[in-house]
Amino acid sequence: MSTPQKLPLVYVRGFAGDTAGINKAVMDPFYGFNEGSTHIRIGPDNEPDFYQFESPLLRLHLDEGYQILVDGSQAIYLNSHATIPPESIWIHRFYDVSASTWSGRPKEFRMETAAEDLLTLIDTIREKSGAPRVHLVAHSMGGLVCRCLIQKILPDLGRDPAECVGKLFTYGTPHGGITFDFGFGMLERLRDTIGINGAQIFGPERMYEYLTPESVADPNGPPEGWDPREMPLDRPFAFPRERVFCLIGTNPADYDVAHGLSAAAVGPRSDGLVQIDNAYVPGAHQAYVHRSHSGRYGVVNSEEGYQNLRRFLFGDREVKAALVGHRLPQRKDTAWQAEVALSVRGLQIVMHERTSAQWCPIQLRDRTRNPTPEGPAETATDTAGAVPLVDTFLCSGLAHPGDTGTMRYALHLRILSLRERDGLLNFGDHLEQTADFDDILVVDVGADGATSVPALSAVWNSAIAGSIRDHRPGGHARGDENPGPDIWVNHIELPDTAAPIVGADARLRLTVTPWQ
């Protein structure tokens, strides 16, 4: 299997607010991409422990050999050098022209202008590096700047975004806008009418303007049912959604104290600013991490964010896990939920985590009663009744020294039931935080990246004698059940204890495909 090509990276920051916020942002040479953190929240003996995350900028420099090139400024460097290396990181400094510290006549920020300037930077980088495309890495509003470029600016110019953009990774981007938990929509209407500090860019009318190409835009505004999260595939020059990754924060409590009002307004199912349901593009890759929108405990300044970013950009295999063949007990008063967590051997963090305590469990529906997709896109069953659990990327070059020939992953699966009576939760026989099924699938994948067919073994923790750390995979690797090329599929039986809950035919379906 070939090693993914290293492409230039362009970082696009988030919303800065008013002129004072913009002035503060432009004082940072790297627009915040160089900020790190030093604490983890839970340590031994209930004491905070020291853990140093250097920053995504420095980590890409150290881990992947990327260079940060300036000569007084990025612009001076680009103007004075005929060639630049593809393994380079660039900051889209779109806020500079709106800062009063540079000029007495700052320009008003406009989303379309920021996207047009991003295209100019991309074209310059491509020309001087010889790279066919660049990867875009964006925080918060920066993801909307990138989508404006991809969905409006480039199509209006008759250019295919896939010809200049390789992949798009977004941290906590409000793909669905920003909404509030109270006010019955009045707060949103007030924001969009007055445009406080330019925040109307997170409302549907303005989003429709900068996410829709002129050729298909309705002059009357967004049609009924228009979803700003969508990246439509039925348009010329549609960008493939499989090239997009959305990192979703689930911790509102750690959003900066100064933003406490914001965190209270958007509600608990959020990262403190962006609600969970607004933080993804339907059909794109997703990972949920218990981090806040920004700050020292934010998604950008986190090991969780970096590890997902690194594997998405440079991984060589994509792995999907889904629950299939399940049949839930026929009880009209019972709702079923699944909780999942993905851990990687050698990392101090959880790569992906969806739990009830973090307001984002997976809602399970019986495939016999709900044979077609329904509900939120990320939890809907497909026509075959599959419930997606995890979608992640493997990088054979990142195998931990202790892996002894394999890369080890652990998928923690819990299934819980909630009883209802007269439309209210019934706690009469309830045991809080107690799952009806709870087990961990331990997966070992061969670390040889030379082939797309993995040597994979999998066993449930309940069948392992002793600690998982001491377990060594034995016997034959699981076989490929799909005869097609470049796709490996295997169905793993659930432990017998799960049969009364999900049925005897329930399986975990693992799918492995090459990733570039």
Side-chain angles (χ1 to χ4, degrees), residues 129-140:
S129 68
R133 289 169 292 277
V134 304
H135 294 319
L136 299 178
V137 181
H139 175 229
S140 193

Side-chain angles (χ1 to χ4, degrees), residues 364-382:
L364 296 179
R365 297 174 177 85
D366 193 289
R367 64 189 179 95
T368 59
R369 288 181 287 174
N370 297 281
T372 57
E374 62 174 286
E378 86 280 10
T379 60
T381 58
D382 63 21

